[in-house]
Amino acid sequence: MQTLEGNSLRIAVQNDGRLTGSSLELLKGIGLEFEDHERRLFSRCRNFDLELLFIRDDDIPEYVQDGVADLGIVGRNVVRESGAEVEEVEELGFAYCTLSLAVPRESDVTAPRQLGGARIVSTHPRSLRRWMEREDLDAQVIEIRGAAEIAPALDVADAICDLVSTGTTLRMNDLRPVGDLWESQAILVANPASLQSRDRYDLIERLVVRLRGVLTARRMKYITLNAPEEALPRIQDILPGMKSPTVVPLAEEGMVALHAAVTEDVFWDVMERIKEAGGSEILVLPVEKVML
Ligand code: PRT
Ligand code: ZN
């Protein structure tokens, strides 16, 4: 595969897997227009100087390290396991999971330090070995590509080290978690040389500002309500994420309308507490994009 030439920025995205849908949704969410049906190897953006490269997620760290792509969207676990030299630019807030150790439910093991001498099957052997070294744990690591969860039942392992998100796979295989190595989520990574190159950096910066805008907006809500003026301090206590609200007097004496962006989710119980504090006609709206 050719390495970077010309000025188009290139971003590597998983071609078919857990990350694909959310990665493409995020890129479309920042206004990029491109074809993703069939997920051919390449797709050009119609309205940004960017090319998408669809590949297996395991290849993304190396491709970004080697400059085949400037950027990549990939699980932090895959980057750590690869050992590739790439820069983490942004956490993307999806594909959350934990790299965990688990043992059969009936096992006596209750903590990772009791796994000395054990056989541990792992989908992330390099990460596990590094962690064991730090924890001064000596165990036998057996590499496996997938389906680590069936190894204890086949008596080829005493424990497993694998990604866990809901915990259903562990439960269905009569396994019990005994410790976490670290947490992971999808991240945006960059080729270090691309971050040093003037024109590439400018394009990356524009993309990252937009990404942050969409990611911040996902955490925000826009709230409007009416309240007696003297209730405002109490309402601000209920919504500590509210920064400099707009307060407008209403025709009714002593009543104001309040508009503000809040950084936390406004659940029903928060709205009920605002109402108790004197708020009325409370509207909570989603925020689509933010540029600070
Ligand atoms: O390379 P290939 O495309 O063949 O497959 P892949 O397994 O490498 O990729 P994919 O699409 O399955 O996962 C891509 C990324 O999603 C991973 O690298 C993680 O960053 C992230 N992710 C988030 C997960 C999970 N959650 C997850 N639960 N990846 C895998 N799992 C597996 C886990 O290995 C176990 O088998 O799901 C099972 C456990 O899930 P729960 O929900 O039952 O706990
Ligand atoms: Zn993979």
Side-chain angles (χ1 to χ4, degrees):
M1 173 146 334
Q2 73 195 87
T3 48
L4 293 166
E5 276 172 19
N7 285 322
S8 273
L9 206 61
R10 202 181 274 169
I11 185 166
V13 176
Q14 188 184 24
N15 55 3
D16 185 20
R18 287 169 197 263
L19 303 176
T20 312
S22 302
S23 304
L24 297 180
E25 190 195 319
L26 188 58
L27 294 176
K28 290 186 172 166
I30 61 169
L32 302 179
E33 290 173 11
F34 54 87
E35 302 305 329
D36 67 79
H37 56 264
E38 294 173 31
R39 289 171 201 146
R40 311 162 289 193
L41 188 55
F42 287 108
S43 186
R44 273 208 70 78
C45 264
R46 281 192 290 278
N47 58 350
F48 200 94
D49 196 6
L50 179 77
E51 203 169 49
L52 279 79
L53 173 63
F54 293 104
I55 52 177
R56 283 195 57 199
D57 68 336
D58 308 59
D59 296 332
I60 292 177
E62 280 84 2
Y63 274 43
V64 173
Q65 170 189 270
D66 298 346
V68 179
D70 303 278
L71 298 168
I73 296 181
V74 65
R76 183 183 279 137
N77 56 301
V78 176
V79 177
R80 287 196 178 169
E81 185 63 18
S82 73
E85 290 186 15
V86 295
E87 297 262 348
E88 178 173 331
V89 179
E90 195 71 29
E91 293 186 330
L92 300 177
F94 61 89
Y96 287 105
C97 54
T98 308
L99 187 63
S100 301
L101 285 161
V103 295
R105 214 196 309 271
E106 69 281 2
S107 161
D108 295 332
V109 173
T110 54
R113 63 188 147 71
Q114 295 167 323
L115 288 171
R119 299 162 301 166
I120 311 177
V121 151
S122 183
T123 51
H124 290 64
R126 289 181 64 161
S127 304
L128 174 58
R129 285 199 187 94
R130 271 202 303 270
W131 182 83
M132 282 171 31
E133 222 166 273
R134 264 208 326 272
E135 298 289 312
D136 205 18
L137 180 73
D138 191 16
Q140 185 193 342
V141 177
I142 305 164
E143 275 187 57
I144 197 165
R145 282 275 169 168
E149 64 277 2
I150 60 170
L154 298 175
D155 198 25
V156 292
D158 309 300
I160 72 164
C161 172
D162 193 11
L163 300 174
V164 176
S165 49
T166 60
T168 309
T169 304
L170 292 187
R171 274 195 301 281
M172 279 176 49
N173 289 279
D174 283 327
L175 298 168
R176 154 170 71 73
V178 280
D180 295 339
L181 279 63
W182 34 255
E183 287 171 358
S184 178
Q185 62 173 288
I187 55 172
L188 180 73
V189 290
N191 172 282
S194 299
L195 292 175
Q196 299 298 321
S197 137
R198 179 82 223 158
D199 40 337
R200 283 187 190 282
Y201 179 81
D202 286 348
L203 281 173
I204 293 174
E205 177 74 1
R206 276 179 64 203
L207 274 187
V208 171
V209 167
R210 290 192 193 183
L211 277 175
R212 286 191 184 132
V214 169
L215 295 169
T216 310
R218 283 184 185 172
R219 291 191 294 268
M220 280 185 141
K221 291 280 179 286
Y222 193 80
I223 183 160
T224 77
L225 55 95
N226 296 340
E229 211 166 348
E230 69 271 11
L232 287 183
R234 264 178 295 152
I235 291 174
Q236 271 185 287
D237 281 347
I238 298 166
L239 284 168
M242 182 165 67
K243 287 201 194 107
S244 45
T246 307
V247 180
V248 189
L250 293 178
E252 192 184 333
E253 184 75 15
M255 287 293 287
V256 292
L258 178 150
H259 293 222
V262 294
T263 46
E264 56 251 64
D265 254 316
V266 182
F267 293 110
W268 284 108
D269 65 316
V270 175
M271 292 172 71
E272 284 159 9
R273 280 163 53 215
I274 293 173
K275 195 162 167 50
E276 276 163 24
S280 57
E281 284 114 338
I282 309 162
L283 293 185
V284 180
L285 309 163
V287 175
E288 201 176 305
K289 299 181 183 76
V290 180
M291 201 176 249
L292 299 172

